[in-house]
Amino acid sequence: MRYLLYSLATDKKNGFFAFFIKLILLFLSFAYGIIIRLLIFISFLDLKRFNLRIISVGNITVGGTGKTSLVEYIARKFRERGSKVAILTRGYKRGAFDLLGDEPKMLLKNLSNVPVVVNKNRAVALRRIEKEYGIDIVVLDDGMQQWRIKKDLEIVTIDATNPFGNKHMIPRGILRQPLSTLKKADIFVLTKTDLAGNSDTLKRRLDHYNSKALIVESVHYPVGFYRPEEEENLIPKDFLKEENVAILSGIGDPDSFASTVSSLGIKIALDLRFGDHHNYTSGEIKAVTESIRNKGLNLLIITEKDATRLSDKELDMFAGIEVFVLRIELKILKNEENFLSRLFRVYSF
């Protein structure tokens, strides 16, 4: 059902039946838009303020835009300056025995000296951080829809390959809130610009919505590979060049993962995809393993998010198949100096 709705929202499904369903979804989108506008208005009447510098990283659409990589980048830059920084995230789709979630676990692994706080109620968590953590700066992951929290910097990540979909709101489109709210942003970070070609048209559209915001261009840069049991041993990114491999992903934008793997000269013989934040079952791992073996393959590449969701027991089920995790970092191509200047100004207020 989720896949069907997403296909309709992104206009990948057409035909008479799809047209009829889209009309219903359009009506629901209209109602959803009214509710969201009302919630935003009410929230601004009762803003929660904290004795912390709060930097929000969020997006205006559903799907993967690269927020987590940017959160990691920002926290790392502040930590390098000696600032006391923490990350606050919801920890989306945590399992019954998983108190963190895949993205927080990935952030903890890559930023061992930065506290990562997981709480669905961000206001409650900020009060706790304020009182107990001795923190100066909080990077609020997926914070654009946290309308009741007073933020010092609003950063919006935008997928350059599909910025706003069909410009309709959920469920007819992929917008989480109206495009007019982009005027509240301080910085736009365009992600995946290497996969989108020329970004001038998108920049002009953003300038129309908000001419004062800084626009930054970035890519998700493949750093190298590592084996799940040897995270500290990074293997050069050209290690698997010309090899036939299978890839496995349960992320918001599997297309970009496949494109990144292909850009390394690796031949994708099998592309296995699951929903974002998918918690794999033993049965699914068994089926994946059989599919890989049936293709005559013995190499599998997975994302870092997926690596955090696979236990040692589940990884052992890939016996005879070498598993590699692709390490990806956000790299700013344009306006990095201005971006960092704007970030660090928050701390000097």
Side-chain angles (χ1 to χ4, degrees):
M1 178 59 71
R2 183 178 176 183
Y3 175 77
L4 174 62
L5 287 173
Y6 187 75
S7 297
L8 291 166
T10 53
D11 294 317
K12 291 179 179 178
K13 274 195 176 295
N14 295 294
F16 177 78
F17 175 75
F19 175 77
F20 178 72
I21 297 298
K22 287 176 183 180
L23 285 179
I24 297 174
L25 295 179
L26 188 61
F27 172 77
L28 294 175
S29 293
F30 180 74
Y32 175 80
I34 292 174
I35 293 170
I36 291 298
R37 287 177 174 88
L38 183 61
L39 287 174
I40 291 173
F41 175 75
I42 294 172
S43 297
F44 279 126
L45 298 177
D46 184 29
L47 276 180
K48 305 295 182 184
R49 300 173 186 272
F50 303 87
N51 293 321
L52 298 162
R53 298 301 182 197
I54 299 175
I55 297 174
S56 168
V57 177
N59 61 4
I60 199 168
T61 58
V62 298
T65 59
K67 294 189 308 295
T68 306
S69 297
L70 181 60
V71 166
E72 180 182 332
Y73 171 95
I74 292 170
R76 193 184 301 279
K77 290 297 181 182
F78 273 114
R79 194 63 180 175
E80 288 171 356
R81 283 171 58 95
S83 304
K84 296 175 182 177
V85 59
I87 295 170
L88 174 57
T89 181
R90 177 186 176 181
Y92 181 74
K93 210 169 181 180
R94 287 175 280 169
F97 302 101
D98 182 3
L99 299 179
L100 293 177
D102 51 9
E103 289 172 349
K105 283 194 285 189
M106 188 175 76
L107 289 167
L108 274 173
K109 178 175 68 68
N110 295 336
L111 298 166
S112 57
N113 54 357
V114 174
V116 178
V117 180
V118 179
N119 196 322
K120 184 178 180 180
N121 190 324
R122 254 62 76 86
V124 169
L126 284 168
R127 290 293 180 212
R128 181 184 169 202
I129 293 172
E130 191 178 47
K131 293 178 181 178
E132 302 177 12
Y133 279 69
I135 292 295
D136 302 315
I137 300 167
V138 174
V139 183
L140 186 59
D141 182 25
D142 199 15
M144 191 176 185
Q145 285 71 45
Q146 297 299 308
W147 304 301
R148 296 187 67 183
I149 294 173
K150 177 69 174 68
K151 306 157 192 172
D152 296 287
L153 201 64
E154 186 85 74
I155 301 173
V156 180
T157 57
I158 296 175
D159 180 352
T161 66
N162 186 24
F164 312 120
N166 55 21
K167 296 187 181 180
H168 290 301
M169 294 187 66
I170 299 168
R172 177 62 186 89
I174 62 173
L175 290 177
R176 300 169 73 179
Q177 60 188 71
L179 284 170
S180 59
T181 59
L182 289 174
K183 64 186 177 184
K184 300 289 185 182
D186 298 298
I187 301 173
F188 295 123
V189 176
L190 310 186
T191 62
K192 310 170 192 173
T193 56
D194 54 329
L195 305 176
N198 193 304
S199 300
D200 290 345
T201 301
L202 175 55
K203 290 179 184 177
R204 285 193 293 270
R205 289 169 69 185
L206 291 172
D207 189 63
H208 168 74
Y209 291 116
N210 184 341
S211 60
K212 296 180 180 179
L214 173 68
I215 299 178
V216 175
E217 294 186 37
S218 71
V219 297
H220 286 85
Y221 181 75
V223 179
F225 297 95
Y226 61 84
R227 293 179 172 87
E229 70 278 7
E230 299 175 359
E231 296 177 8
E232 68 285 354
N233 295 328
L234 198 63
I235 303 167
K237 60 183 181 180
D238 60 354
F239 175 71
L240 297 175
K241 189 174 183 179
E242 300 298 332
E243 295 283 358
N244 291 304
V245 307
I247 63 173
L248 171 68
S249 61
I251 57 176
D253 186 6
D255 286 337
S256 65
F257 176 58
S259 296
T260 301
V261 172
S262 295
S263 72
L264 298 175
I266 299 169
K267 301 172 184 176
I268 300 175
L270 182 62
D271 187 347
L272 300 161
R273 302 181 176 192
F274 290 81
D276 196 14
H277 304 282
H278 184 75
N279 290 308
Y280 299 99
T281 66
S282 296
E284 287 170 339
I285 297 298
K286 183 179 179 181
V288 164
T289 304
E290 289 177 355
S291 296
I292 295 171
R293 287 174 178 153
N294 289 339
K295 277 280 188 177
L297 303 171
N298 60 5
L299 298 172
L300 173 66
I301 299 174
I302 64 175
T303 71
E304 285 196 281
K305 274 176 63 172
D306 288 291
T308 66
R309 279 182 257 127
L310 293 170
S311 66
D312 291 341
K313 181 181 178 181
E314 289 166 337
L315 287 168
D316 287 342
M317 294 177 68
F318 290 106
I321 299 170
E322 282 196 275
V323 180
F324 295 94
V325 184
L326 179 59
R327 174 85 169 105
I328 292 176
E329 292 181 356
L330 182 120
K331 184 176 182 180
I332 295 180
L333 300 180
K334 292 185 180 180
N335 275 338
E336 182 172 32
E337 187 175 335
N338 291 336
F339 179 66
L340 292 175
S341 175
R342 189 70 184 84
L343 278 182
F344 298 148
R345 256 197 343 252
V346 170
Y347 189 53
S348 63
F349 286 170

